[in-house]
Amino acid sequence: MKRLTPTFALIALGLTLAACGPVNRGLESVNQPLVTRTDYIFDVRAGMDGLGEGEGQRLAGWFDSLQLGYGDHVSVDDPAGSPPVRDGVARIAARYGLLLAAAPPIVGPVAEPGSARVIVSRSTAAVDNCPNWSRKSQPEFAASTMSNYGCATNGNLAAMVADPQDLIQGRSGDAGSDARTAVKAIRTFRDAEPTGKNAPQIGSSNIDTKGGN
């Protein structure tokens, strides 16, 4: 029994070391992208006839300062519900290739009368606590994946996704719309005329193929 005591101590030590870090016996990684949203607000003077004088220019300058682009969501909170106001903001957002969101997020009421609030929602995605080497790969007595499992794949996905909100809820489309979008570039390439179609042919009367003076 005295000879077995050190062996039992080593096994207990090995079990203690193997238990470090999260236990995940499934194939889905615990290292998932975390999506964070930030809402930027900008109040403009507005009336039933649309945006006030000079407000469109101010709004465009604000969009420029935010470097507005794909992945951002623009919405309008107008207490008066004026369609010309929404249309005016939509025309400016269209310069940046964006459409207005159907409904604005809840960021508080518009306090000043005769004004409307333009909201830009911007999301970022990242995988926290990665890389994570808290759990050793060997010895492994719990049949768990490594603590770093999924960090690289999900980290790349979070970095490459154009709109991080798509990681929370995917988009729905009309039947066949995805297929038409996928082949649009191919159709454009096939329908385009060859770049050298109207170029002079070698051997024609107006080309000197012998060189010289």
Side-chain angles (χ1 to χ4, degrees):
M1 293 298 296
K2 292 182 179 179
R3 294 180 179 178
L4 295 177
T5 301
T7 303
F8 289 145
L10 291 176
I11 294 176
L13 179 60
L15 290 174
T16 302
L17 293 175
C20 295
V23 176
N24 177 24
R25 295 186 176 92
L27 295 179
E28 184 175 357
S29 172
V30 297
N31 301 300
Q32 296 294 328
L34 177 64
V35 179
T36 304
R37 192 189 77 190
T38 303
D39 296 323
Y40 302 90
I41 61 175
F42 187 81
D43 292 344
V44 294
R45 296 189 306 273
M48 296 305 297
D49 296 334
L51 297 176
E53 183 178 358
E55 292 300 277
Q57 185 176 0
R58 290 181 59 239
L59 181 59
W62 183 61
F63 284 164
D64 289 337
S65 67
L66 292 178
Q67 296 182 346
L68 193 71
Y70 185 82
D72 294 332
H73 295 260
V74 182
S75 55
V76 178
D77 186 3
D78 181 15
S82 171
V85 171
R86 183 176 177 86
D87 293 342
V89 176
R91 284 193 298 270
I92 299 175
R95 302 175 190 172
Y96 302 85
L98 299 178
L99 299 175
L100 293 187
I106 300 176
V107 294
V110 180
E112 186 178 352
S115 63
R117 175 162 293 170
V118 180
I119 306 167
V120 174
S121 300
R122 177 172 294 172
S123 300
T124 58
V127 182
D128 291 341
N129 196 30
C130 275
N132 183 355
W133 306 108
S134 61
R135 187 176 189 85
K136 296 182 179 297
S137 59
Q138 294 295 332
E140 179 54 71
F141 300 109
S144 173
T145 58
M146 291 184 61
S147 54
N148 195 60
Y149 175 68
C151 275
T153 300
N154 291 333
N156 288 336
L157 175 63
M160 293 187 298
V161 63
D163 186 355
Q165 288 294 327
D166 291 343
L167 297 176
I168 300 177
Q169 182 177 2
R171 302 189 183 190
S172 60
D174 298 331
S177 60
D178 290 343
R180 289 195 297 267
T181 302
V183 301
K184 183 177 180 180
I186 299 176
R187 185 188 308 113
T188 302
F189 175 77
R190 290 178 176 176
D191 293 345
E193 293 186 357
T195 55
K197 180 179 179 180
N198 298 322
Q201 301 297 317
I202 296 178
S204 60
S205 58
N206 59 345
I207 294 183
D208 183 6
T209 61
K210 297 181 181 179
N213 297 328

